[in-house]
Amino acid sequence: MNSSATSTVTEFVLLGFPGCQELQRFLFALFFGIYIFTMMGNGIIVCAVRLDQRLHTPMYILLGNFAFLEIWYITSTVPSMLANFLSETKSISFVGCFLQLYFFTSLGTTEAYFLCIMAYDRYLAICRPLHYPTVMTQQLCYILMSLCWVFGFLSYSVSTVQLSQLPFCGSNSIDHFMCDMDPLMALSCAPAPVTEIVFYVLNFLIIILTLLYILSSYSLLLIAVLKVPSAAGRQKAFSTCGSHLTVVCLFFGALLAMYGSPTADNPAEMQKIMTLFYSVVTPCLNPLIYSLRNKEMKAALKKVLRVK
């Protein structure tokens, strides 16, 4: 650990979840199991959408790409966390720390954008069913997905570089299991109000604007569904959108709890738990949420797994 006030930090120490060696081994086994389950669950969805011709529609193409995104999202944090459980030093290089921050924020932003276009897809399918096949074509679907990835990785690129240029000359201990903006900003030995404001404005705009768009889409969708005369029709429409709404609530609920209140109001342990929820728990639950509530997806998964 660099304790000198004049030395330059070349690596950071991720304190993670402190505890005895037995606790570290238990946490390693727990999160390793969650990681493998998440990789397999989302991987099977990707394969099902790829291999089943019946799922080659915009709704399932979006779902397959969303599952692919979740694989990379959880991979941006969990492997590093697993290594730290078994490490004596729990260190991460300076470059590695900022790469993790960049990929974590970029993939999280891409996920928020994906949830927006998935809401748009459901809005068109239910509120504009006659226009849906001509508007939401596969070509438009792929264009929207490409834009999600491009803008997701551009959103925090400049601000992450700005943060990495700050002087870090004091303690290098981060009371977190990953490199995040708030603890890194706190370690800087020089004030950087512009960089801090840029990060908070980006967080606010991305979270609030995407959430407002999704809520607006589902408000219009709800009004349209309530006008459906048959109960069976309403139930089918709610079933189609229920999975997506569940994921939206889990993901944005944790994000709002994390970033919607001042950092000082969130103790370090609470920040770790909330970060775990939207970065690890949500990707783990997504395969269950989407497969259990969708007949077509369950049939495709059985086909992939050869289950009769």
Side-chain angles (χ1 to χ4, degrees), residues 98 101-102 105 156-165 199:
F98 281 95
L101 172 66
Y102 173 67
T105 53
Y156 284 93
S157 57
V158 175
S159 52
T160 303
V161 171
Q162 288 178 329
L163 181 58
S164 69
Q165 300 302 309
F199 257 105

Side-chain angles (χ1 to χ4, degrees), residues 179-190:
C179 295
D180 205 357
M181 188 270 289
D182 283 329
L184 282 171
M185 195 75 72
L187 289 182
S188 173
C189 53

Side-chain angles (χ1 to χ4, degrees), residues 14-18 84-85 90 174-178 269 272:
L14 296 172
L15 299 181
F17 299 94
N84 277 357
F85 284 136
K90 300 185 183 299
I174 299 176
D175 193 5
H176 210 312
F177 63 85
M178 59 162 287
E269 296 305 316
K272 295 176 193 177

Side-chain angles (χ1 to χ4, degrees), residues 57-281:
T57 61
M59 172 181 165
Y60 291 108
I61 291 172
L62 288 171
L63 176 56
N65 276 267
F66 187 73
F68 177 74
L69 169 62
E70 293 288 55
I71 290 173
W72 288 105
Y73 190 40
I74 194 170
T75 300
S76 68
T77 56
V78 172
S80 171
M81 180 169 59
L82 292 175
N84 277 357
F85 284 136
L86 304 180
S87 171
E88 292 287 337
T89 60
K90 300 185 183 299
S91 62
I92 183 172
S93 69
F94 186 91
V95 173
C97 185
F98 281 95
L99 280 175
Q100 183 185 59
L101 172 66
Y102 173 67
F103 279 104
F104 178 72
T105 53
S106 298
L107 290 165
T109 304
T110 305
E111 180 162 339
Y113 295 158
F114 254 92
L115 290 172
C116 283
I117 62 172
M118 291 168 79
Y120 175 64
D121 174 74
R122 291 301 83 208
Y123 164 76
L124 285 177
I126 293 173
C127 298
R128 299 287 186 269
L130 298 179
H131 298 92
Y132 179 72
T134 56
V135 175
M136 184 54 81
T137 61
Q138 282 198 14
Q139 182 181 9
L140 177 61
C141 183
Y142 284 116
I143 290 173
L144 291 174
M145 289 190 302
S146 300
L147 290 175
C148 284
W149 284 98
V150 170
F151 284 105
F153 275 79
L154 286 177
S155 296
Y156 284 93
S157 57
V158 175
S159 52
T160 303
V161 171
Q162 288 178 329
L163 181 58
S164 69
Q165 300 302 309
L166 296 179
F168 296 92
C169 52
S171 171
N172 65 345
S173 296
I174 299 176
D175 193 5
H176 210 312
F177 63 85
M178 59 162 287
C179 295
D180 205 357
M181 188 270 289
D182 283 329
L184 282 171
M185 195 75 72
L187 289 182
S188 173
C189 53
V194 174
T195 303
E196 191 169 3
I197 289 171
V198 168
F199 257 105
Y200 283 123
V201 169
L202 274 174
N203 286 340
F204 177 82
L205 290 177
I206 291 170
I207 294 172
I208 298 302
L209 292 181
T210 53
L211 182 58
L212 285 177
Y213 178 84
I214 293 169
L215 293 178
S216 300
S217 298
Y218 274 97
S219 297
L220 295 172
L221 191 149
L222 179 62
I223 294 171
V225 169
L226 292 176
K227 292 179 180 178
V228 176
S230 66
R234 288 195 299 271
Q235 184 178 3
K236 182 179 179 181
F238 279 124
S239 176
T240 304
C241 304
S243 302
H244 185 237
L245 268 177
T246 303
V247 173
V248 168
C249 291
L250 289 172
F251 182 72
F252 281 98
L255 280 179
L256 288 173
M258 179 72 178
Y259 297 107
S261 57
T263 306
D265 294 343
N266 294 326
E269 296 305 316
M270 185 58 65
Q271 289 189 37
K272 295 176 193 177
I273 292 171
M274 289 187 290
T275 305
L276 269 179
F277 194 84
Y278 68 80
S279 65
V280 177
V281 176

